[in-house]
Amino acid sequence: MFSVNQYVKAKTLKEAYELNQARNSRVMGGMMWMRLGNARVQTIIDLSSLGLDQIEETDHVFKIGAMCTLRTLEQHEGLRKMYGGAIQEAVRHIVGIQFRNQATVGGSIYGRYGFSDVLTCLLALDTFVELYNGGTIRLSEFVSHKPDNDILVSVIIRKRKRKIRYASVRRTATDFPVLACAVVTGILHGEECWYVSVGARPMRASLLEKGWKISRDTDAKQIAAYAKEAAEEFSYGSNMRGSAGYRRQLAEVLIRRAITSIVSEEAEV
């Protein structure tokens, strides 16, 4: 049973951070996963009055507040215009609309859950996290950090001309993913780069960068070889949803499909 002794609605980020330094304090997001645990929490800290529930779009970035819901992320037209339907695809299987109206982006990212579709998708983009005490760092760096008592303020996606595909395999429509995969391509320092993120391995998502040269003239065998190369660089584990070998095979297939889809779109333009 999950129990809380004291509830505090923080008036400032500073107050929230100071309260969170106590050993048995926790920051609440949407309380969708936390409440399912058996923890006894002394102080629960609510950030809902700090204006962190919006997505701010500028000429250079999307700044997503930590208390922004997954439903807001799903429906944002700016993100859809920039990245097609990839971000929407990453969240649409997460339980249902009622759940996504409460679950938060901050909770999904800060928790660094192995099953997180949101983490897997955003990791492949040019994404940073803004921490109250730790400053702004790359999401790929944050993922490898040990949990601490900092406060996640926002998630920042830098606008770049990139193509992205997201896909997952599930045993049932709203179950946790057996495997999740995001593939992104774009130009970095004048060179073509490919980014592959694989999550639900069942460990948390991991990212790799490749300098592949892929165009509409690249044959299917070469694309398949690239997909196999990438899939073999990730580690996998087994659980009730699938074996490590099965997940590696799924990764190879999803990466290949994503690359083929991106290249096919470019050929149509």
Side-chain angles (χ1 to χ4, degrees):
M1 180 179 178
F2 180 78
S3 62
V4 176
N5 186 48
Q6 181 182 22
Y7 164 85
V8 178
K9 194 168 189 177
K11 297 180 179 62
T12 65
L13 279 168
K14 181 180 180 181
E15 179 188 11
Y17 177 78
E18 291 174 350
L19 287 168
N20 199 41
Q21 300 316 295
R23 183 176 180 180
N24 202 18
S25 293
R26 291 198 189 178
V27 175
M28 63 181 286
M31 289 288 290
M32 307 312 292
W33 302 120
M34 189 186 298
R35 65 183 175 81
L36 300 179
N38 294 317
R40 292 184 177 182
V41 177
Q42 174 62 29
T43 304
I44 197 83
I45 305 159
D46 184 354
L47 306 180
S48 63
S49 64
L50 302 182
L52 302 178
D53 60 345
Q54 301 296 316
I55 300 177
E56 178 186 350
E57 181 179 359
T58 71
D59 291 338
H60 305 290
V61 301
F62 293 99
K63 187 173 183 179
I64 305 165
M67 294 297 289
C68 172
T69 68
L70 300 188
R71 183 62 172 165
T72 300
L73 190 72
E74 182 180 15
Q75 293 183 307
H76 194 272
E77 286 302 317
L79 290 169
R80 185 187 298 273
K81 184 177 179 180
M82 178 67 66
Y83 303 115
I87 292 178
Q88 288 72 28
E89 176 63 24
V91 300
R92 73 182 181 91
H93 293 290
I94 301 176
V95 185
I97 290 175
Q98 288 178 320
F99 185 96
R100 298 196 297 274
N101 272 328
Q102 297 179 75
T104 63
V105 174
S108 298
I109 297 298
Y110 196 83
R112 287 163 277 201
Y113 302 114
F115 57 78
S116 176
D117 293 274
V118 179
L119 179 60
T120 304
C121 183
L122 296 187
L123 187 59
L125 293 170
D126 197 4
T127 307
F128 296 77
V129 294
E130 179 190 359
L131 303 168
Y132 176 79
N133 187 57
T136 301
I137 61 173
R138 285 194 173 275
L139 178 58
S140 56
E141 179 185 346
F142 176 73
V143 166
S144 63
H145 281 188
K146 293 181 179 179
D148 57 25
N149 295 331
D150 211 340
I151 301 287
L152 178 62
V153 179
S154 65
V155 176
I156 301 167
I157 308 174
R158 289 204 300 197
K159 287 184 173 180
R160 292 186 183 274
K161 191 175 181 181
R162 293 185 171 180
K163 300 289 186 181
I164 176 172
R165 294 293 185 273
Y166 184 85
S168 62
V169 173
R170 285 168 157 79
R171 295 172 65 182
T172 59
T174 58
D175 193 11
F176 293 137
V178 177
L179 191 92
C181 175
V183 176
V184 173
T185 185
I187 303 299
L188 181 66
H189 305 308
E191 298 290 334
E192 179 182 11
C193 284
W194 289 80
Y195 304 89
V196 180
S197 171
V198 176
R201 299 175 291 119
M203 299 81 81
R204 69 182 60 161
S206 182
L207 178 72
L208 62 85
E209 178 182 333
K210 290 292 183 180
W212 296 325
K213 307 296 182 185
I214 306 176
S215 70
R216 61 184 179 181
D217 298 321
T218 305
D219 63 37
K221 287 185 178 180
Q222 183 60 64
I223 291 175
Y226 284 144
K228 183 177 182 179
E229 172 192 331
E232 289 179 347
E233 291 192 30
F234 293 98
S235 60
Y236 306 89
S238 301
N239 64 5
M240 62 180 289
R241 291 182 174 81
S243 68
Y246 177 54
R247 285 187 163 96
R248 196 214 64 80
Q249 185 62 35
L250 286 179
E252 182 177 335
V253 172
L254 294 183
I255 294 167
R256 175 175 55 78
R257 288 177 179 175
I259 295 172
T260 302
S261 175
I262 290 172
V263 172
S264 298
E265 178 185 337
E266 291 176 345
E268 294 171 359
V269 175

